[in-house]
């Protein structure tokens, strides 16, 4: 009887479904971490109109155009068309007829050497997107004390005003759950590879973490 009841649960309420999503998002996060160690503090801002390859469509502007939704998020074909090329790498998993995929496009326009964009798909609907390795020049280094001053409830506008543009974003829209994670990897006071990220829910700070800041 219990098994029959579990089978009637909506897909997003089943534990295995979230495990699959966590694994895929974790893959995207590890890719971002790889890009973190290659960030350059003397880089230009990601809003600059200049670029070494203006014909490259794997860009922040096109990343922002990707529609996320479990029901009507953009398809793989739509995003390949948006970027003008097929992905560099893929990984996938299918559980109870639900296919989840992670596609990666390397070499973001005006990005660092290891920059990339990853998109997670749930049955060919984009539900998570990440971009890493965006070049940002900061007027001063961000210290651990600055990070510690971040408090829950602060707005995205407050964070951007204080720290500037992030070097990467991970945005999720899945089964009515929406969040954003901003990654800061350049202009950080600390050891090589020092970085921090901030999680936003409904546009407000809901979490944060840092690595080797001083």
């Amino acid at each position: 009887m219990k098994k029959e009841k579990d089978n009637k649960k909506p897909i997003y309420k089943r534990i295995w479904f979230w495990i699959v999503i966590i694994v895929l998002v974790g893959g995207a996060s590890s890719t971002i971490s790889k890009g973190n160690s290659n960030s350059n503090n003397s880089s230009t801002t990601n809003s600059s109109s200049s670029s070494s390859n203006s014909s490259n469509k794997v860009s922040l502007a096109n990343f922002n155009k990707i529609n996320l939704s479990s029901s009507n998020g953009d398809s793989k074909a739509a995003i390949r068309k948006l970027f003008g090329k097929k992905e560099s790498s893929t990984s996938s998993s299918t559980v109870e007829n639900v296919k989840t995929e992670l596609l990666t496009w390397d070499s973001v326009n005006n990005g660092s050497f290891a920059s990339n964009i990853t998109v997670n798909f749930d049955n060919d609907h984009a539900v998570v997107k990440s971009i890493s390795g965006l070049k940002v020049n900061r007027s001063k280094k961000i210290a651990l004390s600055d990070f510690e001053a971040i408090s829950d409830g602060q707005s995205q506008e407050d964070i951007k005003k204080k720290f500037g543009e992030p070097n990467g974003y991970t945005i999720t829209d899945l089964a009515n759950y929406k969040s954003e994670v901003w990654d800061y990897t350049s202009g950080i006071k600390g050891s090589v590879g020092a970085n921090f990220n901030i999680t936003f829910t409904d546009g407000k700070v809901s979490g944060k973490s840092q690595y080797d800041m001083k």
Side-chain angles (χ1 to χ4, degrees):
M1 294 294 292
K2 184 178 180 180
K3 183 177 181 181
E4 181 180 351
K5 182 178 180 180
D6 288 343
N7 287 337
K8 293 180 180 179
K9 287 183 178 180
I11 193 74
Y12 59 85
K13 289 187 177 181
R14 300 184 190 179
I15 294 176
W16 62 261
F17 176 75
W18 290 104
I19 291 174
V20 171
I21 293 301
I22 289 170
V23 169
L24 287 180
V25 174
S29 298
S30 65
T31 304
I32 290 174
S33 298
K34 180 181 178 182
N36 289 348
S37 62
N38 289 280
S39 295
N40 188 333
N41 291 349
S42 63
S43 55
T44 57
T45 61
N46 60 30
S47 60
S48 172
S49 59
S50 62
S51 171
S52 59
N53 184 6
S54 59
S55 63
N56 183 6
K57 294 182 180 181
V58 181
S59 64
L60 176 61
N62 281 335
F63 170 85
N64 290 333
K65 294 177 183 178
I66 298 173
N67 177 53
L68 302 178
S69 172
S70 299
S71 58
N72 62 0
D74 288 343
S75 66
K76 295 188 294 294
I79 296 176
R80 285 167 179 156
K81 182 177 181 181
L82 179 67
F83 291 154
K85 63 180 181 179
K86 192 175 180 180
E87 63 280 0
S88 307
S89 63
T90 65
S91 62
S92 64
S93 177
T94 302
V95 182
E96 292 192 16
N97 296 320
V98 176
K99 186 174 183 179
T100 54
E101 297 177 273
L102 174 65
L103 274 56
T104 302
W105 284 263
D106 293 330
S107 303
V108 177
N109 192 19
N110 196 37
S112 65
F113 175 75
S115 62
N116 60 50
I117 291 176
T118 63
V119 184
N120 294 75
F121 296 86
D122 170 14
N123 280 338
D124 203 29
H125 293 298
V127 292
V128 183
K129 60 180 180 180
S130 299
I131 186 170
S132 67
L134 296 173
K135 294 181 179 180
V136 181
N137 184 37
R138 307 193 190 285
S139 58
K140 66 175 183 178
K141 288 195 172 183
I142 303 171
L144 179 60
S145 57
D146 297 318
F147 169 83
E148 291 175 338
I150 300 170
S151 60
D152 286 353
Q154 284 187 273
S155 68
Q156 292 176 328
E157 291 77 13
D158 289 339
I159 297 300
K160 191 170 290 187
K161 183 177 180 180
K162 183 172 183 179
F163 300 120
E165 299 284 346
N167 301 94
Y169 302 84
T170 298
I171 303 173
T172 302
D173 187 339
L174 175 65
N176 296 319
Y177 172 77
K178 298 180 180 181
S179 73
E180 288 191 30
V181 178
W182 291 7
D183 292 287
Y184 286 83
T185 60
S186 69
I188 309 297
K189 187 176 181 179
S191 303
V192 175
N195 65 84
F196 70 93
N197 62 61
I198 307 170
T199 301
F200 298 90
T201 304
D202 296 326
K204 304 292 184 180
V205 174
S206 58
K208 61 180 182 178
S209 66
Q210 63 88 18
Y211 171 74
D212 226 9
M213 294 181 68
K214 294 180 181 179

